[in-house]
Amino acid sequence: MPSVLLVWLIPPGTIILLLTLAIALYLTYVELRELEPPPSKRWWAWWFSLVFFTHFVGYLVLRGYTAYRRSQQARA
């Protein structure tokens, strides 16, 4: 009975959106870990909140930022 209630409360589309959000947040963690950011928790929280609130677009912004930083480091 509780599983039937869960299906009524959470439509299938919502589960897919939550799954893609979880994947985007995991990829954000992986990207930030490879970037070796400053140990400031604000920096990590800022990127995670950007991806959380803007979802896919925020992750694309993070990817663009990391590509820019890597190209600047390669030039130096």
Side-chain angles (χ1 to χ4, degrees):
M1 182 69 176
S3 62
V4 174
L5 183 62
L6 186 64
V7 170
W8 280 98
L9 292 176
I10 302 175
T14 305
I15 293 171
I16 293 172
L17 288 175
L18 290 175
L19 181 63
T20 58
L21 178 61
I23 291 170
L25 288 172
Y26 171 73
L27 291 174
T28 300
Y29 169 74
V30 170
E31 194 71 35
L32 289 176
R33 191 181 59 195
E34 289 177 5
L35 192 59
E36 297 177 1
S40 168
K41 291 182 180 180
R42 281 186 184 173
W43 201 85
W44 282 79
W46 190 88
W47 279 110
F48 274 112
S49 64
L50 178 74
V51 172
F52 181 79
F53 288 121
T54 61
H55 205 229
F56 184 68
V57 175
Y59 181 69
L60 288 179
V61 170
L62 173 63
R63 292 290 299 178
Y65 173 73
T66 57
Y68 173 76
R69 287 232 7 212
R70 288 181 183 144
S71 69
Q72 292 299 319
Q73 289 175 350
R75 289 182 187 171

